[in-house]
Amino acid sequence: MTTAPHVLVVGEALVDVVDGIAHPGGSPANVAVALGRQGVGVTLATQLADDEYGELLRAHLTASGVELVIATATRTSSATAVLDATGAASYSFDIEWAPSFPELPAADVVHVGSFSALSIEPPPGLLSYDINVRPALMPDDALARVERLVDSATIVKASDEDLAWLYPSLSWQEAAVSLLTRGPQIVWVTLGAEGAIGFTSSGRFDISAPKVEVVDTIGAGDTFSAGLIGGWLSWGDDWQRVGEHAAGLAAQTASRRGADPPRV
């Protein structure tokens, strides 16, 4: 009997406040939720307080099949999102992130991402890393920390905007190839409505974005990351199929308010 694979996600869970309404969010938490809704066994190691936002997040995560390892916080983190005319979000943050975790469970796949990944050692078995730059929260040595994580990862995902921030003297294509030379098997670059491209040492994979009515982009990139992991667990290195799966899930999330990945 084969045991189903299990994914460990390490990173922040927070509340996105959009138009005065609190929505569960946080990039790693969104990845965990999107994995759970794909039917993938997943644990999220995060930091929450015993407050209203913390209860909202606990209920949201467990309802999506996510197991929790929680480090205590004095307050649950939040981000206020402001949407532009295209539905793209910019954020201001109220963050507490200095977790002290007990021993983390073993997993077949480990995923980290966003600002929280920069303050932890790469966990053993790291497979997936979503760079997901948050300029307001990036330390002075952000590039060195990002590259250290890239060195440990098999799948790396970034947006073209992430790469422009990290490597202002390079095109995003040049930056992606530079990251690939550090050792990951594939570097995915998401391009919003233009889809995504996966770069490998043997070629590239061009993925079209499904056409949807975009409500907002909150959680779409995180859903793409979860789609990459779930697709890889199902189909291995069939990167075209994996990328198309991830793009389809991300498009569904972009068609909904807040980070609300589809159930599949």
Side-chain angles (χ1 to χ4, degrees), residues 12 16 25-35 38 91 111 113-114 130 132 134 157 190 217-229 246 249-250 253 259 261:
E12 78 271 11
D16 289 320
S27 176
N30 293 339
V31 172
V33 166
L35 284 166
Q38 291 178 76
Y91 299 89
H111 171 84
S114 193
D130 180 4
N132 198 13
R134 296 294 186 227
K157 179 237 155 193
T190 55
T217 62
I218 298 171
D222 306 322
T223 304
F224 188 90
S225 289
L228 294 177
I229 297 168
L249 296 180
T253 299

Side-chain angles (χ1 to χ4, degrees), residues 133 158-173 175:
V133 167
S159 69
D160 54 343
E161 293 177 343
D162 293 336
L163 297 180
W165 190 89
L166 288 168
Y167 298 99
S169 65
L170 302 179
S171 69
W172 63 260
Q173 296 95 331

Side-chain angles (χ1 to χ4, degrees), residues 3-76:
T3 303
H6 198 87
V7 179
L8 171 65
V9 179
V10 182
E12 78 271 11
L14 53 79
V15 166
D16 289 320
V17 181
V18 185
D19 295 331
I21 300 173
H23 300 271
S27 176
N30 293 339
V31 172
V33 166
L35 284 166
R37 292 183 182 184
Q38 291 178 76
V40 177
V42 58
T43 297
L44 173 67
T46 192
Q47 188 170 23
L48 297 173
D50 292 325
D51 55 18
E52 182 180 357
Y53 284 173
E55 289 306 309
L56 174 66
L57 286 161
R58 286 180 177 86
H60 172 69
L61 289 157
T62 55
S64 295
V66 180
E67 299 176 22
L68 295 172
V69 175
I70 296 176
T72 301
T74 59
R75 69 185 187 284
T76 298

